[in-house]
Amino acid sequence: MPGHFTTTTETVTTGSAETVTDLTRLCEGFLARHAEGADGLLNLFVPHATAGIAIIETGAGSDDDLLTALHALLPADDRWQHRHGSPGHGRDHVLPALVPPHATLPVVAGRLQLGTWQSVCLVDTNKDNPERQVRLSFLG
């Protein structure tokens, strides 16, 4: 029996500050339009060398804590060999090794299966790129 596959690309504005942007509603809207009550998998992918996808609690400080941790691990200073853009931009290119540019999540009866406090987030530390593309794909 052939499966159902659909994909789209959405533009997300992250602005000129380091951000953790909640994509959960975007994902839920995509599934409401395309999953048609089916079980399957939702895949998210950001085709950028300086952004990632994280499953994390938001709104209680964890999103800010993630940015603080990334700053401690990847300081925005002149230690990086990759040097163009804002000072310390080389660290933005290391980010996807820690926060991957993709995530695959279960979908049951057309609904995203996240834990109580989990959200799907775009992590963007690159202040030089105010807009990001996010590819959402459903396979059911």
Side-chain angles (χ1 to χ4, degrees), residues 27 30-31 40-44 103-107 112 136-138:
C27 294
F30 172 77
L31 291 171
L41 297 171
L42 173 68
N43 181 265
L44 291 92
T104 301
L105 304 165
V107 176
L112 195 55
L136 299 118
S137 303
F138 175 72

Side-chain angles (χ1 to χ4, degrees), residues 1-5 139-140:
M1 177 166 141
H4 172 74
F5 178 79
L139 176 61

Side-chain angles (χ1 to χ4, degrees), residues 44-97:
L44 291 92
F45 177 72
V46 289
H48 299 282
T50 59
I53 300 290
I55 310 302
I56 187 171
E57 178 182 6
T58 60
S62 297
D63 36 354
D64 290 332
D65 288 342
L66 174 59
L67 291 175
T68 299
L70 289 172
H71 242 266
L73 291 170
L74 305 171
D77 58 24
D78 64 355
R79 74 182 70 201
W80 308 101
Q81 293 182 40
H82 184 105
R83 295 176 191 218
H84 71 82
S86 296
H89 175 66
R91 71 157 185 148
D92 299 327
H93 287 273
V94 177
L95 173 76

